[in-house]
Amino acid sequence: MADLEVGVLAIGAGPANLALAAAIEESGSAELARNTLLLEQAPDIKWQRDLLMPWARSQVSFLKDLVTLRDPRSRFSFLNFLHQHDRLDQFINLGTFHPHRWEFSDYLQWVARSLEQVRIRYDAKATATEPRHDADGKLIGWQVTLADGDTIRCRDLVVGAGRDMHIPPVFADLPAEKLIHSARFRSRINAVDKDAPLRTVVVGGAQSAAEMFMALYENLPNSTVTMLVRSIGLQNYQTSKFVNELFYPSFVDEFFDAPADTRAQLLDEMRFTNYAALAPPFLDELYMLLYREKMIGTGRAEVRAMTEVAAAREEDGEVVLDLRDRRTGKVTELRCDLVLLGTGYDSRMPSLVRELTGKTGLSEVSVSRDYRVDLGTGTDAALYLQGVNEATHGIADSLISVLAHRARDITGDLLERHGLTPAGAR
C-alpha cells in the first residue's frame, strides 16, 4: 500500500468515523463503500483509550450508539452487539441506559470488525496532509503521508481525529515527565511505580480530572492526591430533560440557522451540560471517598476549591506550584512530584485542519450544514469535519448524541455530489 488512491479517506477511527463507515456501508452504494478507507494510528480501536478505567461509565444512553437514531434496524447497533455476545439478557437486567466505558469501547471494535466493504488501516499515523492540484491549479483532492512513508491520495477527506490537548501556558516550562494530560493518562501512569510514595496534583474540575483523581487514589496506595479547582466546588452536570432536548439531532437545524450571537449565548448557557462538571452518581462517589478520608484520617486525598495555579516550575527534581486562593488572594507554595491536567481541549480548530485549510488559501473555516468546508467554486474535492463544529452545529457536535444523524448527513452529501445512486438503500 505504498501509493494508494481512494475516493473517501477518513483520518481517525473513533466513534465519529466509525458511524460514518456504518452509514456508508448501509447507504446502498457499494461503489462508495468499497472506495472508503479509515486510518487509525493505534493498533486497535479503543474509546477514550487513556481514561478507560474499569468502573468508568458512559454518560450517554446506549440508544445513542453509532446507528440507532439513524436506523433502529441497523445490524451495527449496540443491542445487536450485546446479542452477538450473548449478553443482552444480562444487560437488560442491569436496568441502566449507561454501559461501562469499556463495554462501549468493545462495541466500537466490534463495529470495525463487522464492516464488510469499508476498510480500516491500523498503525497508520498521518504525519502530513497536503492539497492536490491539477496542472491548471484546480484543487482535485488530498494526499496524506503516513509515518511509515506510504502515501494515500483521495478526492474527499474526512477529519475526525478530535481536538488538540489544552495545556495552560502556566505549565509550559514543566518537564514533560512531570506533566500528564488526561488524554495520555493511562499510558503514562502505567509507567509509574505503583508503590512509590508520590505527591500527585490534579488540576481541573470536570469529569476527566475527577476520574484521574479517583484512579490515582485507588491505584497508587502509598501516594497522596490533591485536586485543584478554580470554582466554588465540584458541580453536577445539568441534566434537566428540558435542557437535554438541545442534544436532539433535530436541534442541529435550529442551532445552525440561528444568528451568531444567539448561538454563542446558547453555548455559554449549556456549558454545564457537558463541561466543567461531573456526572451526578460519580460526584456522589467522590464525595463519599473524601468523607471516608476524613473519617479514617490518612490524609491521602484532598480537594481544594477556589484555587488557581499562578506559576509552576521545577526545583531540585520537585514541581513547585504557586497557588492563589481566589477568596483571599494569598499565594502559597505546593510541592509535588507529578501534575495531571484535566484541562480539556483547545477550542480552536485542530492544528491539522488549520494547517490544511491554510495550504488551500482559506482565511477562515466555514462549514456547511452537511459538515463540508467551503473550499470555493471549481473543485470536486471535499473536506468534511467531524466533532469540531460546536460554534455552528451546537454543543452536541463533539458528543455521541448526534453521531448517527451526522453520518447520515455526510453520506447523503457524498452520494449527491458524485451522482451515486443507492441500490436498495434503507
Side-chain angles (χ1 to χ4, degrees), residues 38-314:
L38 274 60
L39 300 179
E40 172 53 48
Q41 64 178 349
D44 57 4
I45 289 172
K46 290 279 194 306
W47 184 46
Q48 298 185 12
R49 181 183 302 271
D50 274 274
L51 287 175
L52 208 57
M53 271 72 83
W55 37 261
R57 302 285 285 271
S58 166
Q59 307 308 316
V60 181
S61 168
F62 68 86
L63 293 173
K64 295 183 178 182
D65 58 16
L66 304 187
V67 296
T68 296
L69 294 182
R70 170 177 60 82
D71 181 1
R73 302 164 297 175
S74 171
R75 67 185 179 90
F76 294 108
S77 72
F78 182 76
L79 287 179
N80 191 37
F81 159 75
L82 292 172
H83 173 68
Q84 294 293 326
H85 288 80
D86 296 321
R87 289 207 302 267
L88 186 55
D89 286 341
Q90 293 92 331
F91 183 84
I92 291 173
N93 200 37
L94 290 176
T96 182
F97 280 98
H98 305 289
H100 284 87
R101 195 174 291 157
W102 61 262
E103 186 164 36
F104 199 83
S105 180
D106 285 352
Y107 158 66
L108 297 181
Q109 184 69 77
W110 172 81
V111 169
R113 290 195 300 265
S114 301
L115 294 169
E116 296 174 351
Q117 298 178 86
V118 175
R119 292 165 291 162
I120 300 177
R121 179 171 174 177
Y122 297 97
D123 291 313
K125 180 177 176 59
T127 56
T129 307
E130 304 283 341
R132 295 168 51 228
H133 299 88
D134 64 13
D136 297 321
K138 175 184 176 181
L139 179 65
I140 58 173
W142 315 92
Q143 178 170 299
V144 175
T145 302
L146 304 182
D148 62 6
D150 287 359
T151 59
I152 304 175
R153 298 188 303 275
C154 65
R155 174 196 60 213
D156 301 322
L157 182 66
V158 184
V159 178
R163 291 192 180 277
D164 301 324
M165 294 180 293
H166 172 55
I167 309 293
V170 70
F171 300 105
D173 294 333
L174 290 185
E177 66 270 16
K178 300 289 187 179
L179 195 67
I180 301 177
H181 189 275
S182 61
R184 302 286 183 266
F185 175 66
R186 287 186 72 241
S187 54
R188 290 282 307 280
I189 210 67
N190 283 341
V192 171
D193 181 356
K194 300 297 185 292
D195 297 319
L198 298 175
R199 298 161 297 172
T200 65
V201 173
V202 178
V203 179
Q207 185 77 18
S208 60
E211 289 183 358
M212 290 192 294
F213 180 90
M214 178 77 80
L216 291 168
Y217 180 82
E218 289 188 347
N219 299 324
L220 303 181
N222 298 317
S223 297
T224 61
V225 54
T226 302
M227 188 173 186
L228 306 178
V229 182
R230 290 191 77 254
S231 66
I232 58 174
L234 298 174
Q235 302 182 52
N236 279 330
Y237 283 135
Q238 291 178 358
T239 57
S240 160
K241 290 181 171 58
F242 295 97
V243 173
N244 280 345
E245 288 190 357
L246 303 186
F247 289 89
Y248 288 178
S250 58
F251 182 68
V252 176
D253 286 325
E254 295 180 44
F255 190 91
F256 188 84
D257 293 334
D261 58 344
T262 300
R263 294 201 301 258
Q265 179 185 351
L266 284 168
L267 286 175
D268 183 61
E269 291 184 8
M270 292 182 69
R271 181 168 176 263
F272 283 103
T273 63
N274 187 55
Y275 303 115
L278 284 70
F282 186 68
L283 189 60
D284 290 343
E285 289 181 34
L286 197 59
Y287 194 84
M288 185 63 74
L289 181 155
L290 293 167
Y291 179 81
R292 289 197 306 268
E293 267 297 304
K294 289 183 179 179
M295 181 174 60
I296 298 171
T298 64
R300 288 190 53 226
E302 178 187 12
V303 174
R304 296 191 190 181
M306 295 290 288
T307 303
E308 61 186 2
V309 180
R313 60 192 179 279
E314 185 185 29

